[in-house]
Amino acid sequence: MPLPFIIGGLAAAAALGGIGSSIHGGVKMKKANDTMKMAEKRQKRAIVNLEKRNRETAAMMDRIGEQELSILQSFGEFTDLIEKIQNRPVFKTYQKEGIKLPKYQGEELKKISTGAGILIGGLGGAAIGTAGGFAAAGATTSAVMALGTASTGTAIASLSGVAATHATLAALGGGAIAAGGGGMALGTAVLGGATLGIGLLVGGVIFNVTGSKLSDKADEAYQQAKKTEMESNKIISYFNFLCASASVFESNLKKVNDEYKKRFKILNDIVNADRKTEWNEFNESEQLLTENLIMLVGLLYKMCQIKLVLKSDKEDGINTVNKKEINQNTRDVDFVLQNLDTVKE
């Protein structure tokens, strides 16, 4: 075969090979591009779903935290009422059927009421999830800490509004949920400021999700997106469990508080409207009413001590919903409410 034909044939073959390589390269590029788009879409969807459930959980936990603080604050008015009753008996610790409620201690209830009032005063300007953080750590603990000392050495009780709320969050320290090990700075970093308490309800694992970014390599990006999705689903599942348990607790808290407010109004009328301030002037029904009211306050006090969330021992671990105490509380509430106006120590 003449040389020109051979060279021409080789050139044609080379051209075809180049076209083939280009086509193959183009297919690879399209595939990589599609993979990146899929990874990005998957990653965004996972984060959006997580943020949505986070906001819903924050709203529920905030509602519970605000309710608990409101109840604790009301103890000041309750104490003032009880202190007007002269020659009243010592109201002892209630202990029956495995249920133990604290005895009446007026001074302690007044302090807690003051602390709760300080925190309520700061909630208006606080981030979403702050009140939920108090509920998670136990609102009673938070109220007590509000009377402590801030890191600056200033008495928190002397602060006001948001400053007092923030100082209490920081004072709760590494062992509590609301502030976690990193104080306020760590709390506000979660999910773009949503928020002080709620992100830390989950534990360090949430940072593995919110801090992850897609890599430049398509395969790596897709694997990372899958990991983000898996972690997000795990946290969403945790939020679902927390909300279900918190909903039970919230229902119980409302039932007990409704009974408390109803009886408080009656006793308030007896003492302030009818001006009965001598225990011996109280008839049996009025004495029983007072004793039941003391019992309800003890139950509410105990409920506000419950940590709805238990902090993980691992820095990047997921926290635990305190299902055991929430279930025990349900049994306590059922027994106490069923025996109101009949139980007498």
Side-chain angles (χ1 to χ4, degrees):
M1 180 179 294
L3 185 60
F5 289 103
I6 295 174
I7 294 174
L10 290 173
L16 289 172
I19 293 170
S21 296
S22 297
I23 293 172
H24 182 64
V27 170
K28 285 182 69 176
M29 286 178 64
K30 184 180 184 305
K31 185 177 179 182
N33 188 48
D34 289 345
T35 301
M36 281 296 293
K37 285 183 178 179
M38 192 182 301
E40 186 177 7
K41 185 177 180 181
R42 197 164 183 173
Q43 174 108 345
K44 284 183 177 179
R45 183 174 62 238
I47 295 297
V48 166
N49 290 340
L50 176 59
E51 288 179 336
K52 179 177 180 292
R53 197 66 182 106
N54 179 63
R55 287 192 299 271
E56 293 167 349
T57 306
M60 167 173 272
M61 293 297 291
D62 274 347
R63 192 169 63 237
I64 295 173
E66 288 167 7
Q67 174 80 326
E68 287 187 327
L69 290 175
S70 177
I71 288 169
L72 293 176
Q73 186 181 32
S74 75
F75 288 169
E77 190 178 4
F78 165 77
T79 302
D80 290 341
L81 183 64
I82 293 297
E83 294 300 318
K84 288 183 179 181
I85 304 173
Q86 303 300 308
N87 298 312
R88 64 186 182 277
V90 175
F91 299 110
K92 299 178 181 179
T93 301
Y94 176 86
Q95 193 164 359
K96 205 166 194 177
E97 298 293 326
I99 301 171
K100 185 176 181 180
L101 303 179
K103 66 179 181 180
Y104 171 76
Q105 297 183 60
E107 284 304 311
E108 183 177 354
L109 291 179
K110 283 181 181 179
K111 289 178 182 177
I112 289 170
S113 173
T114 301
I118 290 170
L119 297 182
I120 288 173
L123 286 179
I128 300 168
T130 302
F134 291 141
T140 300
T141 300
S142 304
V144 171
M145 291 300 295
L147 296 174
T149 304
S151 58
T152 59
T154 305
I156 297 177
S158 69
L159 301 174
S160 61
V162 179
T165 306
H166 287 177
T168 304
L169 280 167
L172 284 166
I177 307 301
M184 284 187 52
L186 180 62
T188 53
V190 179
L191 290 179
T195 82
L196 286 173
I198 198 67
L200 294 169
L201 294 176
V202 182
V205 70
I206 197 167
F207 294 102
N208 294 338
V209 176
T210 58
S212 64
K213 295 180 181 179
L214 290 173
S215 66
D216 293 332
K217 296 180 181 178
D219 291 339
E220 285 184 21
Y222 190 74
Q223 290 304 314
Q224 194 175 70
K226 282 179 63 178
K227 183 180 179 183
T228 298
E229 187 177 57
M230 183 179 69
E231 292 293 327
S232 295
N233 288 340
K234 182 164 68 173
I235 295 170
I236 289 171
S237 177
Y238 167 84
F239 276 148
N240 290 340
F241 185 52
L242 172 59
C243 286
S245 300
S247 179
V248 172
F249 179 83
E250 182 181 27
S251 176
N252 287 332
L253 190 66
K254 183 181 184 304
K255 284 192 291 187
V256 178
N257 193 40
D258 286 347
E259 291 293 338
Y260 160 70
K261 289 192 292 187
K262 182 172 68 177
R263 284 167 174 75
F264 178 86
K265 184 179 183 305
I266 296 172
L267 184 62
N268 186 59
D269 288 342
I270 292 170
V271 174
N272 291 317
D274 299 342
R275 299 190 180 281
K276 272 191 181 182
T277 56
E278 271 289 337
W279 180 256
N280 292 331
E281 293 178 0
F282 280 33
N283 59 39
E284 185 177 355
S285 175
E286 291 167 339
Q287 289 182 357
L288 187 58
L289 166 74
T290 307
E291 290 169 351
N292 280 176
L293 191 55
I294 292 285
M295 187 166 62
L296 287 170
V297 167
L299 181 57
L300 286 169
Y301 176 90
K302 186 177 180 181
M303 291 179 76
C304 291
Q305 284 183 307
I306 294 175
K307 295 180 179 181
L308 299 183
V309 174
L310 302 176
K311 188 174 173 64
S312 172
D313 294 332
K314 298 179 181 178
E315 187 176 340
D316 61 347
I318 194 164
N319 293 335
T320 305
V321 177
N322 194 1
K323 188 71 174 176
K324 181 178 179 181
E325 279 198 76
I326 293 171
N327 286 343
Q328 179 59 53
N329 173 250
T330 297
R331 291 190 287 271
D332 291 355
V333 168
D334 288 344
F335 181 83
V336 170
L337 295 185
Q338 286 169 9
N339 289 278
L340 281 176
D341 301 325
T342 59
V343 177
K344 192 175 177 72
E345 286 294 287

